[in-house]
Amino acid sequence: MRRTMLFLPGNAPNMLINGDMLGADSVILDLEDSVDPGQKDAARALVRNVLNQKLYRKSEVIVRINPLDSEFWREDIEAVVPSRPSLLMPSKVGRAEDIRELDVFITQVEQKCGVKTGTIGLLPLLETAEGIENAREIALSSQRIVGLFLGGEDLTADLHARRTKEGGEIFYARSRIVCAARACRIEAYDTPFTDVNDEEGVRRDAQLARDLGFIGKAAISPRHVDIINEVFTPSEAEIDYAHQILEAIAEGGRLGKGAVSLHGKMIDAPVVKRAMQIVEMENAMAGGGLVD
């Protein structure tokens, strides 16, 4: 599971070198928005070197590449795929055809450099109205896809909407991405909260995302990582109650009961499913294996 995904500029050597110590489950080495066009080559070389040095032992490594309507995305893929990041994050994905084109090119690069076909996963970044409306088709477009990622800043610009801390303007997009992802049996990841200094704001925003069904959230500041981790980690009370539910179900099965209750409340299939999800997360955290 990816509770937190921390963006790191691909042209910032100090941040890239120290990124594994910042507490995020995943880091996103960015070759897109944080890198000026004239610095793309240098950023690719830096990211490739960081990947080759295997500096990241605590965090999964994702590389955000430039969009397909740019001149840079093929060079991005050719530079980083041989170093085997866990995932590529294609930006501004609007259509399933975008992913299919990417998939073909990634396969060619994998074969050329001796990487097993399908090694590199994809986490598409949906940040346009077109991408949101095509979310389900995008999710089904490649077996490489592990989830859908919402980009709120570019999306609100595309919608001609005003970006607010409350997030009402992206509520529909959030809901649509979660529904599309879960319908396709993959995960949904939420957009960053961009006010670095508002720690209570990021907590509220993360809690809303979790309540809507997102499994994790991105961050643009290391200051937000611990807060997001806390929000997306089940509390001791949630874990204890989940175990009580599963124990009650097991006991009911042993006694041959057709219906089971706990603390006066009936336990139905959705309640059991949520309990199992919480216990699975507990086990993943205990084993240090938070990434699927």
Side-chain angles (χ1 to χ4, degrees):
M1 303 184 77
R2 303 171 182 92
R3 298 169 300 174
T4 43
M5 291 180 285
L6 178 62
F7 278 98
L8 299 176
N11 58 350
N14 289 340
M15 295 189 71
L16 296 181
I17 290 170
N18 295 308
D20 197 41
M21 308 304 294
L22 299 175
D25 294 333
S26 303
V27 292
I28 303 169
L29 312 186
D30 186 22
L31 295 175
E32 194 214 5
D33 281 349
S34 65
V35 180
D36 291 334
Q39 298 181 352
K40 298 291 186 183
D41 289 339
R44 285 190 205 101
L46 179 58
V47 167
R48 181 180 62 237
N49 290 339
V50 167
L51 290 170
N52 288 339
Q53 290 177 38
K54 309 296 183 186
L55 298 177
Y56 291 90
R57 301 186 182 276
K58 301 176 183 178
S59 301
E60 176 193 41
V61 180
I62 303 168
V63 178
R64 178 163 73 166
I65 62 173
N66 287 278
L68 267 71
D69 63 359
S70 75
E71 59 185 290
F72 304 115
W73 67 274
R74 288 185 178 85
E75 292 177 84
D76 293 343
I77 291 171
E78 289 175 332
V80 302
V81 163
S83 302
R84 304 188 189 194
S86 295
L87 301 172
L88 295 180
M89 177 181 286
S91 52
K92 297 180 178 62
V93 175
R95 308 170 302 153
E97 289 82 356
D98 296 340
I99 295 297
R100 287 194 280 269
E101 183 177 357
L102 274 168
D103 196 335
V104 169
F105 189 72
I106 293 169
T107 297
Q108 293 172 355
V109 176
E110 286 174 331
Q111 292 173 346
K112 184 169 65 175
C113 64
V115 175
K116 182 180 177 182
T117 299
T119 295
I120 309 299
L122 288 173
L123 181 56
L125 177 54
L126 308 188
E127 48 190 338
T128 64
E130 182 183 32
I132 299 301
E133 291 304 298
N134 291 330
R136 185 174 183 275
E137 290 76 14
I138 291 169
L140 292 171
S141 62
S142 170
Q143 292 187 350
R144 294 181 187 269
I145 293 178
V146 302
L148 299 176
F149 188 105
L150 173 63
E153 303 306 310
D154 282 288
L155 174 62
T156 48
D158 192 43
L159 294 174
H160 298 183
R162 184 172 66 90
R163 188 72 171 102
T164 68
K165 290 185 181 183
E166 294 74 23
E169 69 283 356
I170 60 171
F171 183 83
Y172 166 77
R174 278 171 156 164
S175 300
R176 188 172 179 93
I177 279 186
V178 169
C179 286
R182 297 310 306 147
C184 299
R185 301 296 184 264
I186 59 176
E187 301 295 357
Y189 300 96
D190 192 39
T191 188
F193 185 81
T194 55
D195 187 337
V196 173
N197 298 314
D198 186 356
E199 295 185 358
E200 283 307 309
V202 71
R203 184 180 297 277
R204 288 192 299 269
D205 200 50
Q207 187 62 61
L208 172 60
R210 184 184 176 189
D211 290 346
L212 287 172
F214 287 93
I215 202 69
K217 183 175 179 64
I220 60 169
S221 169
R223 292 174 57 182
H224 291 176
V225 168
D226 287 345
I227 296 171
I228 296 172
N229 278 341
E230 179 184 341
V231 170
F232 282 94
T233 300
S235 67
E236 290 185 12
E238 288 175 312
I239 291 171
D240 181 61
Y241 187 58
H243 281 286
Q244 290 182 44
I245 290 170
L246 298 184
E247 289 166 6
I249 287 292
E251 180 66 14
R254 285 191 292 269
L255 297 176
K257 292 184 177 180
V260 178
S261 65
L262 179 65
H263 305 317
K265 296 181 179 180
M266 295 301 299
I267 301 174
D268 57 11
V271 172
V272 175
K273 186 175 182 179
R274 283 193 291 271
M276 292 176 65
Q277 291 167 349
I278 289 173
V279 171
E280 287 172 3
M281 180 177 280
E282 178 197 19
N283 293 336
M285 290 186 294
L290 282 169
V291 175
D292 292 329

